[in-house]
Amino acid sequence: PLAERCLLAFGSHSGPPMLPVMYNNNYQFVQTDDYVMILAEMAHDARIIRLGDDQLMLDMKKWMGDSIGHWERDTLVVETQGFHPQQYFRGSSADMKVTERFSRTADEQILYSFTVEDPETFSTPFTGEMMFNAQSSQESMYEYACHEGNYALPGILAGARRLEMQETAEQ
């Protein structure tokens, strides 16, 4: 799986839809005039959302799909399609579309809702929502350290044991 190889976070933490996982469930939002970047604490996945664009860029399949956002009053609406073929949400097809809404409900809160549409996989679209609560300015996001390098250790040790056996045989 992608998470096992440290390519994406576990579950659907990076999204879309963005769902909590075991730990490291924080997000950082950075907004410019043309983009919104959402950094997921788990695996440090950075999702770039183009604002005001209307052309999907489907020639290159991105892990988290191609996200285009626009504002409806105070709500950021993001539509995402074109997920990488290895990135599936609950068995979804290549035609899945996720629509997300980010609405600030208070200075320290964002209401996050999403709708998943995929007629090939699900009999009807479904929606979920949760509240994102801001961290205090004293807290920071944690550095997520993936274990992918550990897979090399058995090979390194096996090579060292072989060298030791060769040295013993030559004596």
Side-chain angles (χ1 to χ4, degrees), residues 16-17 80-85 87-99 114-127:
T80 304
Q81 292 176 287
F83 294 86
H84 191 280
Q87 174 68 350
Y88 296 104
F89 176 72
R90 311 288 197 265
S92 63
S93 76
D95 296 325
M96 178 179 73
K97 176 182 172 184
V98 179
T99 303
F114 63 88
T115 300
V116 175
E117 298 174 70
D118 185 358
E120 262 186 68
T121 306
F122 307 112
S123 60
T124 186
F126 61 91
T127 299

mmCIF file of all heavy atoms in Angstrom, residues 16-17 80-85 87-99 114-127:
data_model
loop_
_atom_site.group_PDB
_atom_site.id
_atom_site.type_symbol
_atom_site.label_atom_id
_atom_site.label_comp_id
_atom_site.label_asym_id
_atom_site.label_seq_id
_atom_site.Cartn_x
_atom_site.Cartn_y
_atom_site.Cartn_z
ATOM 1 N N PRO A 16 -8.509 14.004 -0.841
ATOM 2 C CA PRO A 16 -9.845 14.179 -0.331
ATOM 3 C C PRO A 16 -10.649 12.877 -0.350
ATOM 4 O O PRO A 16 -10.367 12.064 -1.225
ATOM 5 C CB PRO A 16 -10.456 15.209 -1.276
ATOM 6 C CG PRO A 16 -9.704 15.088 -2.545
ATOM 7 C CD PRO A 16 -8.351 14.550 -2.188
ATOM 8 N N PRO A 17 -11.589 12.687 0.513
ATOM 9 C CA PRO A 17 -11.885 13.523 1.664
ATOM 10 C C PRO A 17 -10.836 13.362 2.756
ATOM 11 O O PRO A 17 -10.168 12.346 2.830
ATOM 12 C CB PRO A 17 -13.251 13.009 2.131
ATOM 13 C CG PRO A 17 -13.281 11.581 1.709
ATOM 14 C CD PRO A 17 -12.498 11.522 0.432
ATOM 15 N N THR A 80 -12.555 17.862 -6.677
ATOM 16 C CA THR A 80 -11.363 17.083 -7.013
ATOM 17 C C THR A 80 -11.745 15.864 -7.826
ATOM 18 O O THR A 80 -12.677 15.137 -7.476
ATOM 19 C CB THR A 80 -10.616 16.647 -5.734
ATOM 20 O OG1 THR A 80 -10.317 17.812 -4.956
ATOM 21 C CG2 THR A 80 -9.326 15.934 -6.079
ATOM 22 N N GLN A 81 -11.007 15.666 -8.909
ATOM 23 C CA GLN A 81 -11.155 14.488 -9.767
ATOM 24 C C GLN A 81 -9.767 14.088 -10.248
ATOM 25 O O GLN A 81 -8.786 14.770 -9.976
ATOM 26 C CB GLN A 81 -12.030 14.819 -10.982
ATOM 27 C CG GLN A 81 -13.467 15.100 -10.646
ATOM 28 C CD GLN A 81 -14.243 15.503 -11.875
ATOM 29 O OE1 GLN A 81 -14.091 16.601 -12.381
ATOM 30 N NE2 GLN A 81 -15.076 14.592 -12.359
ATOM 31 N N GLY A 82 -9.691 12.995 -10.986
ATOM 32 C CA GLY A 82 -8.427 12.600 -11.598
ATOM 33 C C GLY A 82 -7.410 12.045 -10.625
ATOM 34 O O GLY A 82 -6.229 12.386 -10.693
ATOM 35 N N PHE A 83 -7.854 11.179 -9.738
ATOM 36 C CA PHE A 83 -6.946 10.582 -8.755
ATOM 37 C C PHE A 83 -5.998 9.601 -9.441
ATOM 38 O O PHE A 83 -6.340 8.984 -10.450
ATOM 39 C CB PHE A 83 -7.735 9.853 -7.673
ATOM 40 C CG PHE A 83 -8.562 10.778 -6.831
ATOM 41 C CD1 PHE A 83 -9.844 11.151 -7.221
ATOM 42 C CD2 PHE A 83 -8.063 11.282 -5.648
ATOM 43 C CE1 PHE A 83 -10.597 12.001 -6.463
ATOM 44 C CE2 PHE A 83 -8.815 12.139 -4.867
ATOM 45 C CZ PHE A 83 -10.083 12.501 -5.281
ATOM 46 N N HIS A 84 -4.829 9.435 -8.862
ATOM 47 C CA HIS A 84 -3.867 8.455 -9.357
ATOM 48 C C HIS A 84 -4.510 7.067 -9.281
ATOM 49 O O HIS A 84 -5.230 6.764 -8.320
ATOM 50 C CB HIS A 84 -2.596 8.498 -8.508
ATOM 51 C CG HIS A 84 -1.471 7.720 -9.084
ATOM 52 N ND1 HIS A 84 -1.377 6.364 -8.949
ATOM 53 C CD2 HIS A 84 -0.405 8.111 -9.810
ATOM 54 C CE1 HIS A 84 -0.288 5.947 -9.556
ATOM 55 N NE2 HIS A 84 0.325 6.993 -10.088
ATOM 56 N N PRO A 85 -4.269 6.185 -10.268
ATOM 57 C CA PRO A 85 -4.915 4.858 -10.272
ATOM 58 C C PRO A 85 -4.632 4.015 -9.020
ATOM 59 O O PRO A 85 -5.430 3.146 -8.686
ATOM 60 C CB PRO A 85 -4.336 4.179 -11.513
ATOM 61 C CG PRO A 85 -3.873 5.291 -12.375
ATOM 62 C CD PRO A 85 -3.480 6.419 -11.459
ATOM 63 N N GLN A 87 -4.541 5.239 -5.997
ATOM 64 C CA GLN A 87 -5.133 5.920 -4.850
ATOM 65 C C GLN A 87 -6.647 5.765 -4.905
ATOM 66 O O GLN A 87 -7.323 6.445 -5.674
ATOM 67 C CB GLN A 87 -4.732 7.397 -4.857
ATOM 68 C CG GLN A 87 -5.390 8.240 -3.805
ATOM 69 C CD GLN A 87 -4.961 7.911 -2.390
ATOM 70 O OE1 GLN A 87 -4.302 6.927 -2.128
ATOM 71 N NE2 GLN A 87 -5.359 8.725 -1.464
ATOM 72 N N TYR A 88 -7.176 4.866 -4.109
ATOM 73 C CA TYR A 88 -8.614 4.620 -4.098
ATOM 74 C C TYR A 88 -9.188 4.961 -2.735
ATOM 75 O O TYR A 88 -8.563 4.731 -1.711
ATOM 76 C CB TYR A 88 -8.916 3.153 -4.412
ATOM 77 C CG TYR A 88 -8.485 2.764 -5.802
ATOM 78 C CD1 TYR A 88 -7.344 2.009 -6.011
ATOM 79 C CD2 TYR A 88 -9.219 3.166 -6.897
ATOM 80 C CE1 TYR A 88 -6.945 1.655 -7.284
ATOM 81 C CE2 TYR A 88 -8.826 2.836 -8.176
ATOM 82 C CZ TYR A 88 -7.694 2.079 -8.361
ATOM 83 O OH TYR A 88 -7.305 1.752 -9.627
ATOM 84 N N PHE A 89 -10.395 5.494 -2.732
ATOM 85 C CA PHE A 89 -11.098 5.765 -1.486
ATOM 86 C C PHE A 89 -12.215 4.745 -1.342
ATOM 87 O O PHE A 89 -13.171 4.764 -2.119
ATOM 88 C CB PHE A 89 -11.671 7.188 -1.479
ATOM 89 C CG PHE A 89 -12.476 7.490 -0.261
ATOM 90 C CD1 PHE A 89 -11.861 7.663 0.967
ATOM 91 C CD2 PHE A 89 -13.854 7.578 -0.328
ATOM 92 C CE1 PHE A 89 -12.603 7.928 2.100
ATOM 93 C CE2 PHE A 89 -14.609 7.845 0.799
ATOM 94 C CZ PHE A 89 -13.973 8.020 2.017
ATOM 95 N N ARG A 90 -12.057 3.829 -0.424
ATOM 96 C CA ARG A 90 -13.073 2.817 -0.132
ATOM 97 C C ARG A 90 -13.509 2.050 -1.383
ATOM 98 O O ARG A 90 -14.692 1.802 -1.589
ATOM 99 C CB ARG A 90 -14.287 3.440 0.544
ATOM 100 C CG ARG A 90 -14.017 4.359 1.725
ATOM 101 C CD ARG A 90 -13.577 3.576 2.943
ATOM 102 N NE ARG A 90 -13.679 4.325 4.166
ATOM 103 C CZ ARG A 90 -12.675 5.012 4.715
ATOM 104 N NH1 ARG A 90 -11.520 5.056 4.122
ATOM 105 N NH2 ARG A 90 -12.848 5.628 5.856
ATOM 106 N N GLY A 91 -12.550 1.720 -2.255
ATOM 107 C CA GLY A 91 -12.862 0.938 -3.441
ATOM 108 C C GLY A 91 -13.406 1.741 -4.601
ATOM 109 O O GLY A 91 -13.987 1.188 -5.535
ATOM 110 N N SER A 92 -13.222 3.053 -4.582
ATOM 111 C CA SER A 92 -13.779 3.912 -5.621
ATOM 112 C C SER A 92 -13.172 3.628 -6.987
ATOM 113 O O SER A 92 -12.139 2.984 -7.110
ATOM 114 C CB SER A 92 -13.530 5.381 -5.252
ATOM 115 O OG SER A 92 -12.142 5.634 -5.198
ATOM 116 N N SER A 93 -13.831 4.150 -8.005
ATOM 117 C CA SER A 93 -13.359 3.993 -9.383
ATOM 118 C C SER A 93 -12.553 5.225 -9.794
ATOM 119 O O SER A 93 -12.465 6.214 -9.052
ATOM 120 C CB SER A 93 -14.546 3.815 -10.330
ATOM 121 O OG SER A 93 -15.182 5.054 -10.551
ATOM 122 N N ALA A 94 -12.022 5.186 -10.998
ATOM 123 C CA ALA A 94 -11.251 6.316 -11.528
ATOM 124 C C ALA A 94 -12.140 7.537 -11.771
ATOM 125 O O ALA A 94 -11.634 8.648 -11.940
ATOM 126 C CB ALA A 94 -10.565 5.904 -12.828
ATOM 127 N N ASP A 95 -13.458 7.362 -11.761
ATOM 128 C CA ASP A 95 -14.382 8.461 -12.020
ATOM 129 C C ASP A 95 -14.882 9.166 -10.759
ATOM 130 O O ASP A 95 -15.783 10.011 -10.841
ATOM 131 C CB ASP A 95 -15.590 7.951 -12.817
ATOM 132 C CG ASP A 95 -15.180 7.460 -14.191
ATOM 133 O OD1 ASP A 95 -14.251 8.046 -14.783
ATOM 134 O OD2 ASP A 95 -15.776 6.483 -14.667
ATOM 135 N N MET A 96 -14.314 8.843 -9.606
ATOM 136 C CA MET A 96 -14.774 9.461 -8.361
ATOM 137 C C MET A 96 -14.570 10.980 -8.402
ATOM 138 O O MET A 96 -13.576 11.475 -8.921
ATOM 139 C CB MET A 96 -14.007 8.889 -7.168
ATOM 140 C CG MET A 96 -14.415 9.528 -5.848
ATOM 141 S SD MET A 96 -13.555 8.849 -4.410
ATOM 142 C CE MET A 96 -11.927 9.540 -4.607
ATOM 143 N N LYS A 97 -15.535 11.683 -7.850
ATOM 144 C CA LYS A 97 -15.452 13.132 -7.684
ATOM 145 C C LYS A 97 -15.750 13.451 -6.226
ATOM 146 O O LYS A 97 -16.720 12.937 -5.659
ATOM 147 C CB LYS A 97 -16.475 13.837 -8.585
ATOM 148 C CG LYS A 97 -16.521 15.339 -8.405
ATOM 149 C CD LYS A 97 -17.604 15.939 -9.295
ATOM 150 C CE LYS A 97 -17.810 17.391 -9.008
ATOM 151 N NZ LYS A 97 -18.919 17.938 -9.816
ATOM 152 N N VAL A 98 -14.906 14.276 -5.621
ATOM 153 C CA VAL A 98 -15.111 14.689 -4.235
ATOM 154 C C VAL A 98 -15.276 16.206 -4.214
ATOM 155 O O VAL A 98 -14.463 16.936 -4.778
ATOM 156 C CB VAL A 98 -13.923 14.281 -3.335
ATOM 157 C CG1 VAL A 98 -14.147 14.747 -1.897
ATOM 158 C CG2 VAL A 98 -13.711 12.776 -3.374
ATOM 159 N N THR A 99 -16.354 16.658 -3.587
ATOM 160 C CA THR A 99 -16.591 18.091 -3.409
ATOM 161 C C THR A 99 -16.484 18.386 -1.919
ATOM 162 O O THR A 99 -17.170 17.772 -1.106
ATOM 163 C CB THR A 99 -17.987 18.495 -3.930
ATOM 164 O OG1 THR A 99 -18.079 18.117 -5.309
ATOM 165 C CG2 THR A 99 -18.204 19.987 -3.797
ATOM 166 N N PHE A 114 -17.760 17.147 3.111
ATOM 167 C CA PHE A 114 -17.383 16.576 1.820
ATOM 168 C C PHE A 114 -18.520 15.721 1.289
ATOM 169 O O PHE A 114 -19.313 15.164 2.048
ATOM 170 C CB PHE A 114 -16.106 15.730 1.935
ATOM 171 C CG PHE A 114 -16.251 14.533 2.826
ATOM 172 C CD1 PHE A 114 -16.709 13.321 2.315
ATOM 173 C CD2 PHE A 114 -15.938 14.606 4.166
ATOM 174 C CE1 PHE A 114 -16.849 12.201 3.136
ATOM 175 C CE2 PHE A 114 -16.076 13.506 5.002
ATOM 176 C CZ PHE A 114 -16.529 12.300 4.484
ATOM 177 N N THR A 115 -18.585 15.629 -0.042
ATOM 178 C CA THR A 115 -19.522 14.747 -0.721
ATOM 179 C C THR A 115 -18.735 13.922 -1.724
ATOM 180 O O THR A 115 -17.967 14.474 -2.518
ATOM 181 C CB THR A 115 -20.620 15.543 -1.447
ATOM 182 O OG1 THR A 115 -21.324 16.320 -0.484
ATOM 183 C CG2 THR A 115 -21.598 14.615 -2.160
ATOM 184 N N VAL A 116 -18.920 12.612 -1.670
ATOM 185 C CA VAL A 116 -18.261 11.690 -2.593
ATOM 186 C C VAL A 116 -19.295 11.214 -3.600
ATOM 187 O O VAL A 116 -20.352 10.726 -3.219
ATOM 188 C CB VAL A 116 -17.655 10.481 -1.833
ATOM 189 C CG1 VAL A 116 -17.075 9.465 -2.808
ATOM 190 C CG2 VAL A 116 -16.605 10.950 -0.834
ATOM 191 N N GLU A 117 -18.959 11.367 -4.893
ATOM 192 C CA GLU A 117 -19.824 10.896 -5.978
ATOM 193 C C GLU A 117 -19.027 9.910 -6.828
ATOM 194 O O GLU A 117 -17.951 10.243 -7.316
ATOM 195 C CB GLU A 117 -20.260 12.056 -6.859
ATOM 196 C CG GLU A 117 -21.079 13.119 -6.148
ATOM 197 C CD GLU A 117 -21.342 14.306 -7.043
ATOM 198 O OE1 GLU A 117 -22.126 14.156 -8.010
ATOM 199 O OE2 GLU A 117 -20.754 15.371 -6.785
ATOM 200 N N ASP A 118 -19.561 8.727 -6.969
ATOM 201 C CA ASP A 118 -18.941 7.708 -7.818
ATOM 202 C C ASP A 118 -19.994 6.655 -8.135
ATOM 203 O O ASP A 118 -20.109 5.642 -7.459
ATOM 204 C CB ASP A 118 -17.732 7.078 -7.122
ATOM 205 C CG ASP A 118 -16.989 6.103 -8.010
ATOM 206 O OD1 ASP A 118 -17.421 5.862 -9.160
ATOM 207 O OD2 ASP A 118 -15.973 5.569 -7.550
ATOM 208 N N PRO A 119 -20.803 6.887 -9.175
ATOM 209 C CA PRO A 119 -21.896 5.966 -9.499
ATOM 210 C C PRO A 119 -21.434 4.552 -9.826
ATOM 211 O O PRO A 119 -22.201 3.608 -9.683
ATOM 212 C CB PRO A 119 -22.586 6.603 -10.701
ATOM 213 C CG PRO A 119 -21.935 7.905 -10.954
ATOM 214 C CD PRO A 119 -20.750 8.034 -10.057
ATOM 215 N N GLU A 120 -20.166 4.402 -10.247
ATOM 216 C CA GLU A 120 -19.644 3.061 -10.538
ATOM 217 C C GLU A 120 -19.481 2.229 -9.273
ATOM 218 O O GLU A 120 -19.590 1.012 -9.308
ATOM 219 C CB GLU A 120 -18.278 3.154 -11.226
ATOM 220 C CG GLU A 120 -18.334 3.037 -12.716
ATOM 221 C CD GLU A 120 -16.943 3.003 -13.306
ATOM 222 O OE1 GLU A 120 -16.218 2.009 -13.088
ATOM 223 O OE2 GLU A 120 -16.595 3.982 -13.982
ATOM 224 N N THR A 121 -19.210 2.909 -8.149
ATOM 225 C CA THR A 121 -18.901 2.200 -6.905
ATOM 226 C C THR A 121 -20.003 2.313 -5.867
ATOM 227 O O THR A 121 -20.324 1.346 -5.189
ATOM 228 C CB THR A 121 -17.587 2.742 -6.307
ATOM 229 O OG1 THR A 121 -16.564 2.668 -7.301
ATOM 230 C CG2 THR A 121 -17.163 1.942 -5.099
ATOM 231 N N PHE A 122 -20.564 3.499 -5.718
ATOM 232 C CA PHE A 122 -21.549 3.746 -4.664
ATOM 233 C C PHE A 122 -22.921 3.994 -5.280
ATOM 234 O O PHE A 122 -23.039 4.714 -6.272
ATOM 235 C CB PHE A 122 -21.126 4.945 -3.814
ATOM 236 C CG PHE A 122 -19.720 4.831 -3.274
ATOM 237 C CD1 PHE A 122 -18.712 5.670 -3.725
ATOM 238 C CD2 PHE A 122 -19.399 3.861 -2.339
ATOM 239 C CE1 PHE A 122 -17.424 5.561 -3.244
ATOM 240 C CE2 PHE A 122 -18.121 3.741 -1.855
ATOM 241 C CZ PHE A 122 -17.121 4.594 -2.303
ATOM 242 N N SER A 123 -23.953 3.443 -4.678
ATOM 243 C CA SER A 123 -25.299 3.559 -5.247
ATOM 244 C C SER A 123 -25.828 4.988 -5.208
ATOM 245 O O SER A 123 -26.704 5.349 -5.994
ATOM 246 C CB SER A 123 -26.262 2.626 -4.514
ATOM 247 O OG SER A 123 -26.313 2.951 -3.144
ATOM 248 N N THR A 124 -25.308 5.799 -4.306
ATOM 249 C CA THR A 124 -25.739 7.189 -4.195
ATOM 250 C C THR A 124 -24.585 8.015 -3.625
ATOM 251 O O THR A 124 -23.742 7.474 -2.900
ATOM 252 C CB THR A 124 -26.994 7.292 -3.295
ATOM 253 O OG1 THR A 124 -27.480 8.622 -3.303
ATOM 254 C CG2 THR A 124 -26.697 6.860 -1.884
ATOM 255 N N PRO A 125 -24.524 9.298 -3.927
ATOM 256 C CA PRO A 125 -23.493 10.134 -3.294
ATOM 257 C C PRO A 125 -23.699 10.147 -1.785
ATOM 258 O O PRO A 125 -24.814 9.977 -1.290
ATOM 259 C CB PRO A 125 -23.745 11.526 -3.878
ATOM 260 C CG PRO A 125 -24.495 11.283 -5.145
ATOM 261 C CD PRO A 125 -25.316 10.047 -4.892
ATOM 262 N N PHE A 126 -22.602 10.338 -1.048
ATOM 263 C CA PHE A 126 -22.732 10.448 0.410
ATOM 264 C C PHE A 126 -21.889 11.609 0.910
ATOM 265 O O PHE A 126 -20.930 12.023 0.267
ATOM 266 C CB PHE A 126 -22.357 9.144 1.125
ATOM 267 C CG PHE A 126 -20.947 8.688 0.903
ATOM 268 C CD1 PHE A 126 -19.937 9.068 1.754
ATOM 269 C CD2 PHE A 126 -20.645 7.851 -0.162
ATOM 270 C CE1 PHE A 126 -18.640 8.641 1.556
ATOM 271 C CE2 PHE A 126 -19.355 7.413 -0.372
ATOM 272 C CZ PHE A 126 -18.339 7.806 0.487
ATOM 273 N N THR A 127 -22.299 12.145 2.054
ATOM 274 C CA THR A 127 -21.688 13.343 2.623
ATOM 275 C C THR A 127 -21.301 13.095 4.068
ATOM 276 O O THR A 127 -21.974 12.347 4.779
ATOM 277 C CB THR A 127 -22.685 14.524 2.542
ATOM 278 O OG1 THR A 127 -22.995 14.760 1.167
ATOM 279 C CG2 THR A 127 -22.114 15.786 3.147
#
